[in-house]
Amino acid sequence: MRVIAAFLVNTAINFFIGLLVAKFLGPDQFGRFALALAIGLVLQTITLEWIRLSTIRFYSEKSRSQQPELRATLDAAFGIVSILVTALLIAYFLADIDVSLSPPLVGLAVAAAIANGFFDYHTAVVRARFQDRLYSQLIITKNILAFTLTVGGAFITGSAVVALTGACISMAGSVVLAHRALADRMSPLRIANRPLVAQFARYALPIVTANVFYLTIPLVNRSLAASHFGFAETGQFSLAYDIGTRLIAAIGSALDVLLFQIAVRAEEQHGRDHAKAQVAQNMAVVFALLTPAAVGLWLVLPSLEQLIVPTEFRGPFSRYLTLMLPGLYVFGLMNFAINAVFQIEKKTLPLIAAALAACAAAALLLVFIPRGGDAASLAMAQTGAFIVAFVVLIGFAVAAGAQWPRARDLLLTIAATLIMAAVLWPLHRMEPGVLLLIAQCLAGVIIYGLAVAIFDIAGLRRATTETIAKWRRRGL
């Protein structure tokens, strides 16, 4: 549970860091900052994400002792790819290619890709070995550095370049400061194994390819917003997308940090059937927590915007996030529930087909949805694309013979969420404010929590009871 708590704290802090950076930079500079980060994320996904994914799927405490060449291969691969990416950046500068971003921001986008990849890879190593204390240390260090350098740089200078530089230093610096604990003397680089790279690629590249397609949709939307409406509108669109993504991913990613590793360990210890059953149970848990969270986010959005969104972003923020939210919700279900069906089987090609369907749907929707005076049509097209991908992926999972959660858990989740929404709806229409937000959150938690306590939805009551008993045995 410590790793989930650390992840949730990290997400909350990142959420407020993003808001503060937007406030201090303003829409125009934040639009540049967000576009550079989006480019860096796409580049990281293309070049380095396969290493993180392979670490989560194949590396463990058991493999560390029995296959030390596995960690050595992962380390070597990360180093070689980082050098190649840097060489491509140098070639880009020498070619003097003109793009919408300034050369410093282009360079920092690449630096962000490598720095974030460096951080994600090492947190994956720690997760795979269930080293909760070290994971928490990495998260805390990164957030202290980010608050000091990223937010501080934005506040002092109002420059996207300075803020992005701080973000890169915070990600890489947290790993560097913990390098002694992260190093593995059992796996020197000289024992790296080239055939393992082929194994990693077969597993991870379809996932990476799908993720690149998915990332292309909001990246293209940001670029279209910049070209048609200016960088200020890109900043408005980006803040809604970034905050919405972080809020939905806060729960999904926190669960995924632990649940998928449990499924991998179930396969390692008990075989594939146990792993598939665990994946089905994981789906129920993700659905049971992500569904009320998404509905609750929409219900509290007026107060949330009033209290925490910078003044110059209000209005467009709630409009864009409302349009994006259904797509972000189903995208969360894909990433944190459905994808595991294919990952545990090591048959990940269907993920590409679903992503291609999303891209095709986005292109068609952009043609048919009327373009207005802002980026609303882009938000609607993005949502439609993610819904199409979700439907396609469900079809592939059914064809693959996936195990599914109990219908009882799914129906109870939907019923409890609808009851919660019905009770909170009158509050949604009231004047936004801090007291209203607190009342909405408390009422939502109590209503849905009572349903979980009475019906043990997705086994959450049982899991909570077991966790509390474990803490008591440890004297916590």
Side-chain angles (χ1 to χ4, degrees):
M1 292 297 293
R2 180 185 293 170
V3 69
I4 292 180
F7 190 93
L8 288 173
V9 170
N10 175 58
T11 302
I13 293 175
N14 282 337
F15 172 75
F16 287 108
I17 286 175
L19 288 172
L20 289 171
V21 170
K23 177 179 175 62
F24 296 142
L25 291 184
D28 183 75
Q29 283 292 310
F30 183 73
R32 300 172 193 274
F33 175 87
L35 185 57
L37 270 184
I39 292 171
L41 181 58
V42 172
L43 181 61
Q44 176 195 344
T45 302
I46 293 172
T47 58
L48 295 168
E49 179 69 358
W50 66 278
I51 299 173
R52 184 190 72 87
L53 290 167
S54 299
T55 303
I56 292 172
R57 182 63 183 89
F58 297 104
Y59 188 63
S60 65
E61 193 64 50
K62 181 179 179 180
S63 68
R64 176 177 177 264
S65 58
Q66 296 183 359
Q67 291 180 281
E69 67 275 10
L70 197 151
R71 171 69 186 276
T73 305
L74 292 167
D75 284 344
F78 187 92
I80 292 170
V81 172
S82 298
I83 291 171
L84 291 175
V85 170
T86 304
L88 287 174
L89 176 63
I90 294 171
Y92 160 80
F93 283 131
L94 292 176
D96 195 26
I97 300 172
D98 185 28
V99 295
S100 58
L101 288 177
S102 64
L105 280 174
V106 172
L108 285 167
V110 175
I114 296 174
N116 200 40
F118 190 55
F119 178 81
D120 285 351
Y121 166 50
H122 285 90
T123 54
V125 167
V126 172
R127 280 175 51 191
R129 294 178 58 189
F130 290 88
Q131 293 180 307
D132 295 356
R133 186 181 297 276
L134 183 54
Y135 182 85
S136 301
Q137 178 185 332
L138 286 170
I139 294 295
I140 292 169
T141 304
K142 188 204 76 159
N143 285 323
I144 291 173
L145 291 173
F147 192 85
T148 304
L149 301 175
T150 308
V151 177
F155 173 72
I156 293 171
T157 68
S159 166
V161 170
V162 174
L164 197 53
T165 301
C168 294
I169 294 173
S170 67
M171 289 181 285
S174 61
V175 178
V176 172
L177 291 173
H179 72 281
R180 290 185 181 274
L182 292 166
D184 191 346
R185 295 182 180 179
M186 294 177 61
S187 305
L189 289 178
R190 65 176 181 274
I191 65 171
N193 188 328
R194 187 176 297 176
L196 280 175
V197 176
Q199 179 185 353
F200 298 156
R202 284 193 300 271
Y203 166 75
L205 288 184
I207 307 175
V208 169
T209 304
N211 287 343
V212 170
F213 286 134
Y214 287 129
L215 288 172
T216 299
I217 295 172
L219 178 60
V220 169
N221 284 343
R222 293 183 204 221
S223 299
L224 289 174
S227 62
H228 290 296
F229 309 111
F231 276 110
E233 194 67 23
T234 304
Q236 302 281 8
F237 184 93
S238 297
L239 184 66
Y241 174 77
D242 291 344
I243 296 304
T245 301
R246 288 175 184 174
L247 289 172
I248 292 295
I251 293 176
S253 297
L255 295 170
D256 186 61
V257 162
L258 183 62
L259 293 180
F260 187 68
Q261 298 302 152
I262 292 174
V264 171
R265 187 161 63 178
E267 181 191 41
E268 201 172 56
Q269 296 178 352
H270 305 292
R272 182 64 55 84
D273 289 342
H274 280 77
K276 291 173 69 174
Q278 182 63 51
V279 167
Q281 174 59 24
N282 293 354
M283 284 188 209
V285 172
V286 173
F287 185 74
L289 293 176
L290 203 58
T291 301
V295 173
L297 173 58
W298 176 69
L299 289 169
V300 304
L301 189 53
S303 292
L304 194 69
E305 180 181 51
Q306 182 71 25
L307 293 172
I308 66 173
V309 175
T311 304
E312 59 269 37
F313 290 87
R314 292 175 190 168
F317 176 85
S318 60
R319 184 169 67 255
Y320 288 145
L321 185 50
T322 298
L323 294 172
M324 293 179 189
L325 193 53
L328 295 177
Y329 165 67
V330 298
F331 189 64
L333 290 179
M334 283 193 292
N335 274 334
F336 309 121
I338 311 301
N339 281 3
V341 170
F342 307 99
Q343 289 174 271
I344 208 70
E345 293 283 359
K346 302 177 187 176
K347 297 176 181 178
T348 50
L349 282 174
L351 304 185
I352 297 178
L356 284 172
C359 291
L364 286 173
L365 289 168
L366 284 175
V367 171
F368 289 106
I369 296 176
R371 183 185 300 169
D374 59 16
S377 61
L378 303 177
M380 288 187 280
Q382 178 176 291
T383 290
F386 288 158
I387 291 173
V388 168
F390 178 73
V391 172
V392 171
L393 197 62
I394 289 288
F396 276 113
V398 171
Q403 290 190 31
W404 299 99
R406 295 181 301 170
R408 172 187 181 275
D409 289 327
L410 301 182
L411 293 173
L412 282 172
T413 295
I414 294 170
T417 302
L418 289 175
I419 292 170
M420 180 192 76
V423 173
L424 293 180
W425 174 249
L427 298 178
H428 175 75
R429 311 292 295 177
M430 294 175 64
E431 185 68 24
V434 62
L435 293 179
L436 178 63
L437 180 62
I438 293 172
Q440 288 174 306
C441 292
L442 286 176
V445 169
I446 290 170
I447 293 166
Y448 195 78
L450 281 173
V452 169
I454 294 169
F455 299 106
D456 193 23
I457 300 174
L460 291 173
R461 183 188 66 196
R462 182 177 64 256
T464 302
T465 302
E466 291 173 354
T467 300
I468 293 173
K470 186 182 295 183
W471 287 347
R472 287 175 175 172
R473 287 194 297 271
R474 294 178 178 178
L476 299 177

